[in-house]
Amino acid sequence: MKVAKTIDDIRRLVADARVGGAGLVGLVPTMGALHEGHFSLIDAAAGECDFVVVSIFVNPTQFAPNEDYRSYPRPVKNDLSGCESHGVGAVFAPSAGEMYPDGFAAAVSVSGLTETMEGNCRLGHFGGVCTVVAKLFNIVGPDVAYFGAKDYQQAAVIRKMVADLDMPLRIAVCPTVREADGLAMSSRNAYLDDDERTQSPVLYESLQLAERLIREGERNAASVIESVRSLLADNAPLGKADYVAIVDPDNLAAVEEIKGDVVVALAVKFPSARLIDNMRVDVPKANR
Ligand code: AMP
């Protein structure tokens, strides 16, 4: 496994791999502090592609000034050995200066899909995400890029960017990997103190409650949201719900009456970490 810190170096490594016969190149963009969720994307890439690139870059432009850019975990050695043991061909780990040299002035944005949920709570976040992901696609030139369903809105926004800008690659979205108690794995889980960690599985439990209510026939989204909010308030008193939303899986528009498949998404702010999770609930045609 090779490690590239510059754009020139990773381009050369990918070009060499292609000359060496790699037909399909896969890219897994990450901010590091890798866990089993990330490794599931890497394994999916390794299963489908001939050469896998993992980017590790804590992207400053997707953090708001009050967020955790400085304190975000950066366990570089662990990350590299994890990549090596999962069959990664090359890691691209640039500095902020390499990605954003003095005078950098471009931006990629996607409207509509970004104006709800995470986009409402984290102003500027998706502009930072789209710009860095577009750069990574241009730098690495992958055939397939892998994202997690854990960040449902992010995956939808990236898909839209790729479709609207005719970027020549496929986006693969992999299922959310969870701890045994249901908490979605996240690099930020390490911030939680013991009491917060004890309360945190309620995010998943509340998604399961929403799923059960919808499957049992509840069609009023507001009523499902109210039940979810009260479970969160009862079982995670240290957390505060930023939002609980029931949205159309494709355009992310808020749903009032549940007539088809929906995504239930939520964000809960604990004192030490803000957590997000979501679940797609398929409503069989016969039950619509
Ligand atoms: P991050 O390093 O948090 O920016 O995440 C990098 C990629 O890993 C994103 O596409 C995330 O959606 C994905 N990811 C993060 N956590 C999980 C998880 N628990 N299960 C599956 N994918 C994940």
Side-chain angles (χ1 to χ4, degrees):
M1 186 183 84
K2 298 270 177 26
V3 179
K5 297 198 165 211
T6 66
I7 293 167
D8 282 351
D9 281 352
I10 190 66
R11 283 205 164 123
R12 201 169 307 121
L13 290 174
V14 173
D16 288 351
R18 290 215 188 264
V19 169
L24 276 185
V25 172
L27 171 66
V28 183
T30 81
M31 298 204 300
L34 303 180
H35 50 66
E36 291 306 319
H38 296 113
F39 292 127
S40 74
L41 306 188
I42 294 171
D43 291 345
E48 290 179 335
C49 300
D50 306 302
F51 189 73
V52 176
V53 177
V54 172
S55 62
I56 298 180
F57 180 58
V58 185
N59 174 36
T61 66
Q62 69 189 69
F63 290 78
N66 61 330
E67 292 182 354
D68 55 340
Y69 173 66
R70 279 178 181 284
S71 56
Y72 200 85
R74 292 166 169 85
V76 180
K77 271 196 187 150
N78 271 353
D79 285 352
L80 293 181
S81 63
C83 285
E84 178 116 52
S85 62
H86 283 262
V88 171
V91 169
F92 177 47
S95 65
E98 177 74 7
M99 292 295 272
Y100 303 111
D102 282 350
F104 184 89
V108 179
S109 69
V110 170
S111 62
L113 292 181
T114 56
E115 286 150 27
T116 174
M117 300 192 290
E118 290 302 285
N120 266 344
C121 297
R122 305 184 66 189
L123 294 180
H125 172 68
F126 283 120
V129 168
C130 287
T131 304
V132 79
V133 171
K135 279 177 68 74
L136 290 168
F137 289 173
N138 283 334
I139 291 165
V140 174
D143 300 285
V144 193
Y146 295 81
F147 291 85
K150 151 97 182 352
D151 298 278
Y152 189 91
Q153 187 176 14
Q154 171 174 276
V157 168
I158 298 295
R159 271 192 204 283
K160 183 77 177 137
M161 174 184 82
V162 164
D164 285 2
L165 296 180
D166 308 301
M167 293 178 169
L169 77 160
R170 178 166 71 80
I171 300 300
V173 180
C174 303
T176 301
V177 177
R178 299 179 180 282
E179 302 286 356
D181 61 11
L183 175 65
M185 289 193 182
S186 162
S187 307
R188 290 189 169 98
N189 292 350
Y191 297 153
L192 297 171
D193 69 23
D194 289 349
D195 291 338
E196 294 167 337
R197 179 65 188 82
T198 303
Q199 294 179 13
S200 60
V202 75
L203 273 79
Y204 185 52
E205 288 158 18
S206 65
L207 294 172
Q208 289 176 307
L209 169 66
E211 181 186 40
R212 183 159 48 77
L213 292 172
I214 295 168
R215 289 211 192 293
E216 285 171 1
E218 179 59 76
R219 292 290 169 261
N220 183 313
S223 146
V224 177
I225 289 171
E226 201 181 301
S227 302
V228 165
R229 280 190 175 275
S230 82
L231 188 71
L232 288 172
D234 290 348
N235 292 7
L238 290 170
K240 180 186 156 298
D242 257 359
Y243 61 82
V244 177
I246 298 187
V247 300
D248 179 280
D250 299 320
N251 63 22
L252 307 187
V255 166
E256 283 177 20
E257 192 194 342
I258 301 167
K259 292 183 194 145
D261 300 353
V262 291
V263 170
V264 185
L266 48 83
V268 175
K269 213 172 192 165
F270 285 97
S272 311
R274 183 175 177 280
L275 305 181
I276 61 172
D277 204 346
N278 70 82
M279 185 188 285
R280 184 177 172 127
V281 181
D282 298 331
V283 178
K285 277 219 167 68
N287 302 346
R288 288 179 184 172

